Amino acid sequence: MAVPAKAGRLRHRPLTRKAVALLASWAVAVLATGFTTAHATSRPCSTACATLPATPAWCGDNRERLQRIINAYAPCAQPTPSSRSAGKAGGRTSTPPVAVFDWDNTVVKNDVGDALFYWILRNDKVLRPARWSSLNRYLTPAADRALSGACNVSAPVGMPLPTAGDTACADQIYAVYHGTTTDGAAAFSGYNHQLMSPSSAWVAQLLTGHTSAQITSYAARARAQALSALVGTTWQVGTHQVTGWVRYYAQQRDLIHTLQRDGFAVWVASASPQLDVQVWAAGLGIPAHRVIGIQSLYTHGRQSAHLRGCGNVPDGADSVLTYVSGKRCFINQDVFGIRGAAAFRPAPPGKRPVLAAGDSSTDVVFVSDAIGAHLAINRNNTQLMCQAYDNADGKWLINPMFIQPLAQRTRPYPCATSGHTHADGSLGPARRADGSVIPDQTDTVF
């Protein structure tokens, strides 16, 4: 987090508790990431535009297509203020063009929310709640009973659960994260599948009772461990072996840095906890105020189980987060200043990202909203790949994962029957913007 400087004569004043916490969070992120201010903000170029490096390579002509988009919209490609103003009719504006990236498996290989979740279980950081259902309003009675039975004998209310050694408790929390109890009962119900992922919220909500400085430090330690681990490393969580490593994608690092140097405002929109993603994003010079993640509300300086709202959904309703249409809402609201119910609807072209990148159904709406290019990282996700392969507007770019890409999907994506998830969780056909059904698509970029 950047610490603002005030112009004029400096006066020594005692720091408030809030200021101390902010400084602590910022310092941890700096130490953990080696962050420097050199790439902290995007700026118009004073000389020729930077170009996207040719190595490491992109798939096919994706590098050249991305460069054309950068050249078309970058402020440095518009040499005079008058030409920038004149360019508005062509999609250019006098404000910085925006690029928005999903984070997990889009900018990095593997999932930083997973890495934090595994770390807190391996390091006894979950404080036992009085009632498990108080952490997540969508937790089923079956899951509440299972968690109480497995974990409540291990610690008094408000104290850390010994999940590093208590495999029964760790296994139950792990199972709920993956959508069921250990005996197979549904863990969550009653939510809008276009706006909410209770499993994603669960990671943030398990840190209820901690300060922002503490959570930032946990994220930094999880990051350091995941980056130092060899590719292929696993950790043990309860009785499970889980992925223990994360890597930044070099190509995405190069793309982000090129966009920054050429005057784009680069943002991140993730369904991992915001404090967690801020620590990781700082490693690429993306400042904290341009990271949107799961945002928890705080009471007396400690995280609560409640979430910030979006659009016409108030804070604490806990019914929307950065997930599918919820991602569009937070981008429209936090990046472009669109308020109320309108934040859930497609924005006018002048208030949309130029470039958007993602890898899953979580991202399909906001990636589709981009006016210049939609970059899909191929993880064989049906909803995203149906839109990407159909390529209705000719602006989709598909790239295999840059590390350990998946093999070709052997069967076509079932776009015409189950390429879209409705609000109630049922599946239906994927559709184009005009309402027509997308036919099944063959996987060809792998």
Side-chain angles (χ1 to χ4, degrees):
M1 297 181 182
V3 179
K6 187 172 183 180
R9 181 176 298 176
L10 295 176
R11 297 180 181 177
H12 297 285
R13 297 178 180 174
L15 290 175
T16 63
R17 290 183 180 179
K18 183 177 180 181
V20 171
L22 286 169
L23 283 167
S25 300
W26 174 77
V28 168
V30 170
L31 291 172
T33 62
F35 173 70
T36 66
T37 58
H39 297 105
T41 57
S42 57
R43 57 179 176 80
C45 305
S46 58
T47 57
C49 293
T51 57
L52 188 58
T55 56
W58 290 74
C59 178
D61 65 350
N62 284 344
R63 174 186 169 275
E64 289 74 18
R65 293 179 65 192
L66 287 166
Q67 188 63 59
R68 288 198 293 270
I69 293 299
I70 294 171
N71 292 345
Y73 289 91
C76 58
Q78 303 174 57
T80 66
S82 60
S83 68
R84 287 198 290 271
S85 298
K88 290 183 180 180
R92 301 175 181 177
T93 70
S94 58
T95 58
V98 170
V100 185
F101 292 77
D102 169 59
W103 192 260
D104 301 311
N105 283 301
T106 295
V107 178
V108 298
K109 171 69 174 181
N110 296 325
D111 190 300
V112 304
D114 285 355
L116 177 62
F117 173 66
Y118 301 148
W119 189 92
I120 64 176
L121 290 182
R122 287 165 51 84
N123 289 275
D124 298 344
K125 297 302 181 184
V126 178
L127 305 180
R128 183 196 150 187
R131 292 179 300 106
W132 286 94
S133 58
S134 70
L135 292 187
N136 189 300
R137 67 175 68 241
Y138 304 107
L139 198 71
T140 61
D144 182 72
R145 290 191 298 270
L147 289 161
S148 297
C151 298
N152 285 7
V153 296
S154 302
V157 172
M159 297 302 292
L161 291 165
T163 48
D166 186 344
T167 56
C169 180
D171 280 352
Q172 200 63 255
I173 295 172
Y174 176 93
V176 167
Y177 179 46
H178 290 88
T180 68
T181 64
T182 53
D183 61 4
F188 305 105
S189 66
Y191 58 95
N192 185 324
H193 290 249
Q194 280 286 308
L195 303 179
M196 168 58 60
S197 168
S199 294
S200 300
W202 184 240
V203 178
Q205 290 162 331
L206 287 171
L207 288 164
T208 295
H210 295 270
T211 67
S212 60
Q214 288 173 326
I215 296 168
T216 299
S217 74
Y218 305 156
R221 290 155 73 182
R223 174 183 179 273
Q225 190 173 60
L227 288 177
S228 63
L230 296 176
V231 171
T233 294
T234 60
W235 300 339
Q236 184 160 338
V237 173
T239 61
H240 302 275
Q241 292 295 314
V242 301
T243 301
W245 61 280
V246 177
R247 292 292 186 275
Y248 291 96
Y249 283 141
Q251 290 89 339
Q252 296 286 50
R253 174 203 64 206
D254 290 344
L255 176 57
I256 288 169
H257 286 171
T258 300
L259 289 165
Q260 289 171 323
R261 288 193 296 269
D262 286 349
F264 281 74
V266 176
W267 287 74
V268 173
S270 171
S272 288
Q274 180 160 300
L275 290 175
D276 183 23
V277 184
Q278 284 174 339
V279 167
W280 284 88
L284 294 185
I286 300 172
H289 71 273
R290 285 189 177 157
V291 175
I292 308 170
I294 298 174
Q295 300 172 61
S296 299
L297 302 179
Y298 283 74
T299 303
H300 304 301
R302 294 188 178 274
Q303 183 184 292
S304 76
H306 296 297
L307 309 174
R308 180 186 174 218
C310 185
N312 58 348
V313 177
D315 291 352
D318 307 334
S319 59
V320 61
L321 50 74
T322 40
Y323 187 76
V324 197
S325 294
K327 271 199 179 182
R328 168 191 279 164
C329 182
F330 277 101
I331 291 167
N332 283 348
Q333 175 179 277
D334 293 356
V335 181
F336 297 104
I338 300 171
R339 305 297 176 190
F344 287 102
R345 298 192 290 269
K351 289 191 173 184
R352 293 195 193 188
V354 168
L355 167 67
D359 72 291
S360 72
S361 59
T362 312
D363 311 314
V364 65
V365 171
F366 94 87
V367 173
S368 298
D369 282 346
I371 62 172
H374 325 284
L375 174 59
I377 305 302
N378 188 358
R379 283 209 306 131
N380 289 168
N381 180 272
T382 295
Q383 294 189 60
L384 181 68
M385 300 315 294
C386 286
Q387 298 290 338
Y389 279 124
D390 184 56
N391 196 18
D393 64 0
K395 297 178 180 179
W396 285 88
L397 291 73
I398 301 171
N399 212 96
M401 291 190 293
F402 302 101
I403 299 172
Q404 296 180 347
L406 296 178
Q408 182 180 28
R409 179 185 166 99
T410 56
R411 300 176 65 184
Y413 292 99
C415 307
T417 53
S418 54
H420 174 76
T421 301
H422 297 295
D424 64 0
S426 63
L427 298 178
R431 296 181 183 274
R432 304 183 181 100
D434 64 6
S436 58
V437 173
I438 297 174
D440 292 356
Q441 299 290 320
T442 302
D443 193 28
T444 59
V445 182
F446 54 91

